[in-house]
Amino acid sequence: MSKIRIALIEDHDLTRVSIRTALLQKNDIEVVGEAANAVDGLKMLKVLQPDIAIVDIGLPDKDGIELTREVKSTNTEELSTKVLILTLRDNKEAVLAAFAAGADSYCMKDIKFDNLLEAVRVTYNGNAWIDPAIARIVLQQAQQNPQKSKSAFVETKTIAPNPDFAENLEEIEPYTLTERELEVLQLIVEGCSNAVIAERLYITVGTVKTHVRNILNKLCADDRTQAAVRALRSGLVG
């Protein structure tokens, strides 16, 4: 079984060592390189071409978001490094800017180890993993300013096309969500539970579950958060 090759770009030594130690507990993960700043990090990524770069935003010489943009601009169809942002910044501006720069996933540094592993594996498989707290921020921003948020996600696809994600978007197009499914999807984006959706739409929880299952299938999404993000990126909801 091939290992997931990871490079760490983090300026705090203790944090970097902790992340490396945690990741190396798993046999399917290999930490192939480390850097404490953006300049060294970019050089390292060009040489090593890891599967995933775990990047901190607050680097000493250059913003991690700008580094993400540079990484994505140097990716090729044959060699493509995915970027997983791991940071303390949870403000809307940082989150949206990271995705606009081409970040594949976004995690907070207080993430549990099991969730970090999940984020790494989901990202490796070509899907976006977004910290639940961050997902709420993104979706709330989209509700407050849908055009701005939509353009940010569209920019992500333009600057750094993710072949797997682009393929998923193409798979969405032939399907048309029903009016009821769009209503359910809108409430998912707003963070409503199945029970709340059922109450709002005057249907049973079982019916909601059926709609959610159909939505996940049509959007090629693994869970509700991923469905919400893909809906925003593809413009299905505003």
Side-chain angles (χ1 to χ4, degrees):
M1 182 178 65
S2 61
K3 293 188 176 184
I4 303 174
R5 301 173 67 252
I6 294 178
L8 305 177
I9 304 177
E10 162 67 56
D11 61 320
H12 289 97
D13 293 342
L14 184 58
T15 301
R16 194 172 63 252
V17 170
S18 298
I19 296 171
R20 181 186 65 212
T21 302
L23 291 175
L24 290 179
Q25 292 181 27
K26 298 300 178 180
N27 293 330
D28 62 334
I29 293 176
E30 179 183 8
V31 177
V32 296
E34 301 176 32
N37 60 66
V39 172
D40 291 343
L42 186 59
K43 292 178 182 177
M44 172 185 67
L45 296 182
K46 288 179 178 179
V47 173
L48 298 178
Q49 291 288 339
D51 299 310
I52 299 173
I54 296 181
V55 178
D56 182 24
I57 289 181
L59 297 171
D61 56 340
K62 185 182 297 185
D63 194 293
I65 293 173
E66 178 60 30
L67 173 61
T68 298
R69 186 174 291 109
E70 293 180 7
V71 170
K72 290 298 182 175
S73 69
T74 59
N75 278 346
T76 64
E77 188 173 343
E78 293 78 18
L79 296 171
S80 178
T81 296
K82 297 178 175 65
V83 175
L84 188 159
I85 298 291
L86 186 63
T87 182
L88 293 171
R89 298 190 190 179
D90 61 354
N91 60 76
K92 298 174 186 177
E93 292 75 15
V95 175
L96 293 176
F99 281 113
D104 297 279
S105 296
Y106 198 111
C107 305
M108 298 300 297
K109 283 187 176 178
D110 60 359
I111 189 173
K112 294 181 179 179
F113 175 51
D114 288 343
N115 288 340
L116 177 59
L117 290 175
E118 179 187 0
V120 166
R121 289 164 180 156
V122 167
T123 304
Y124 177 72
N125 289 325
N127 296 310
W129 197 98
I130 303 178
D131 193 296
I134 299 303
R136 286 194 292 272
I137 290 174
V138 173
L139 300 182
Q140 287 169 2
Q141 175 72 3
Q143 291 300 307
Q144 294 166 5
N145 196 340
Q147 289 305 315
K148 182 177 180 181
S149 296
K150 180 180 174 183
S151 66
F153 286 112
V154 170
E155 187 181 0
T156 301
K157 186 169 179 286
T158 302
I159 294 175
N162 180 320
D164 295 326
F165 181 70
E167 181 180 346
N168 286 334
L169 283 182
E170 291 173 3
E171 291 174 358
I172 292 172
E173 293 175 356
Y175 296 96
T176 301
L177 270 68
T178 66
E179 183 176 349
R180 178 62 85 186
E181 286 168 352
L182 286 172
E183 291 175 338
V184 172
L185 182 58
Q186 182 68 49
L187 293 173
I188 289 175
V189 167
E190 293 175 10
C192 298
S193 65
N194 286 348
V196 171
I197 294 174
E199 183 179 351
R200 294 244 189 121
L201 299 181
Y202 302 101
I203 56 180
T204 67
V205 172
T207 300
V208 173
K209 290 180 179 178
T210 298
H211 286 314
V212 171
R213 183 168 61 250
N214 291 338
I215 289 168
L216 295 183
N217 288 335
K218 290 182 179 182
L219 299 187
C220 302
D222 295 326
D223 54 41
R224 294 161 67 99
T225 297
Q226 195 175 92
V229 171
R230 288 186 175 174
L232 289 168
R233 283 178 165 174
S234 60
L236 288 174
V237 298

